[in-house]
């Protein structure tokens, strides 16, 4: 059986191999537009291999239809291949340590609400209710830009090995599936990562939230 992996083609699509399930999910929001949970996954494809659009122009999203060859897509990959620990800053906390790597944030919005956000909450994590809310927010972060440790152990959500199409957003690679750049260099394999699907990220292949400004739909 082919090893499950994502390989990036130069100025082209993401090729997913190894019978990785492809599903679609969307953020569930409050009446104020605050994301608070993820919808249940809806199956899209369970084929042996498939190619997913990276340029944002496919007429058959999320799949590649070859549009990248005619729309001038520049897929140059500039995302770092070093490890999260060397980039992330420590936000602190009591009974918990929260880390943040702004460079890989997909701006999904689970880290705050109208009243507060994780950066403000870390100073109040001596309160167990606040601490629990911080952990829940961190675990819903699709990119893994936010992470946390409790008693020296990294806390990570239990995610299946699959690729998730986030509606109007990036691809969410779950469960430690390896991702390799078009030059053969591997990205750090992590439990969660978000890959650009709009073609506008300045940190390709990773999402940097540019889909919001670009008005990407798909």
């Amino acid at each position: 059986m082919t090893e499950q992996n994502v390989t990036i083609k130069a100025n082209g699509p993401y090729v997913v191999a190894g019978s990785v399930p492809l599903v679609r999910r969307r953020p569930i929001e409050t009446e104020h537009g605050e994301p608070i949970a993820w919808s249940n996954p809806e199956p899209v494809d369970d084929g042996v291999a498939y190619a997913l659009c990276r340029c944002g122009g496919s007429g058959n999203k999320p799949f590649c239809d070859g549009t990248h060859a005619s729309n001038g897509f520049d897929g140059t990959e500039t995302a770092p291949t070093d490890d999260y620990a060397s980039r992330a800053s420590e936000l602190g906390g009591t009974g918990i340590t929260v880390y943040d790597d702004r460079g890989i944030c997909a701006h999904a919005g689970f880290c705050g609400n109208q009243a507060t956000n994780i950066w403000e909450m870390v100073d109040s994590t001596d309160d167990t209710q606040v601490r629990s809310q911080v952990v829940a927010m961190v675990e819903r972060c699709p990119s893994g830009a936010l992470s946390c440790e409790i008693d020296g152990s990294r806390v990570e959500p239990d995610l299946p090995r699959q690729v998730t199409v986030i509606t109007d957003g990036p691809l969410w690679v779950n469960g430690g599936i390896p991702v390799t750049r078009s030059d053969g260099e591997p990205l750090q394999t992590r439990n969660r990562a978000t890959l650009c699907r709009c073609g506008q990220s300045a940190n390709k292949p990773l999402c940097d939230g540019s889909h919001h400004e670009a008005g990407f739909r798909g």
Side-chain angles (χ1 to χ4, degrees):
M1 180 177 175
T2 303
E3 179 186 358
Q4 293 181 328
N5 62 81
V6 178
T7 302
I8 302 167
K9 298 299 182 181
N11 299 319
Y14 303 105
V15 176
V16 184
S19 299
V20 179
L22 181 67
V23 302
R24 180 181 290 273
R25 302 181 78 173
R26 61 177 178 80
I28 296 174
E29 300 178 340
T30 69
E31 65 273 23
H32 304 297
E34 303 162 335
I36 56 172
W38 288 103
S39 66
N40 291 328
E42 301 173 3
V44 177
D45 196 296
D46 59 359
V48 174
Y50 46 84
L52 300 176
C53 176
R54 189 161 72 102
C55 72
S58 173
N60 188 34
K61 298 181 185 72
F63 301 103
C64 172
D65 67 357
T67 298
H68 59 273
S70 59
N71 68 358
F73 174 61
D74 180 359
T76 303
E77 298 134 52
T78 58
T81 57
D82 57 358
D83 62 276
Y84 174 87
S86 66
R87 300 188 309 267
S89 58
E90 183 177 322
L91 301 183
T94 301
I96 185 174
T97 305
V98 181
Y99 299 92
D100 178 27
D101 178 6
R102 288 293 81 202
I104 61 172
C105 175
H107 302 281
F110 287 94
C111 51
N113 52 46
Q114 285 190 323
T116 187
N117 59 57
I118 280 181
W119 293 267
E120 295 176 350
M121 295 167 69
V122 289
D123 291 335
S124 301
T125 46
D126 54 333
D127 183 320
T128 56
Q129 290 186 334
V130 173
R131 193 183 315 145
S132 295
Q133 187 177 2
V134 167
V135 171
M137 286 178 162
V138 167
E139 290 192 335
R140 293 187 183 111
C141 171
S143 68
L146 290 166
S147 70
C148 63
E149 290 182 355
I150 296 178
D151 295 331
S153 298
R154 188 75 65 175
V155 177
E156 278 289 322
D158 184 13
L159 298 174
R161 288 173 69 90
Q162 65 185 20
V163 173
T164 299
V165 179
I166 298 177
T167 298
D168 301 335
L171 295 171
W172 184 10
V173 180
N174 307 150
I177 298 173
V179 178
T180 304
R181 301 193 325 182
S182 62
D183 61 4
E185 287 292 318
L187 298 181
Q188 182 188 16
T189 299
R190 302 186 66 215
N191 184 40
R192 45 194 167 136
T194 46
L195 303 179
C196 174
R197 198 159 66 92
C198 71
Q200 303 299 313
S201 174
N203 194 32
K204 295 183 183 72
L206 300 179
C207 171
D208 68 355
S210 291
H211 54 276
H212 291 295
E213 293 76 14
F216 176 73
R217 295 291 179 268

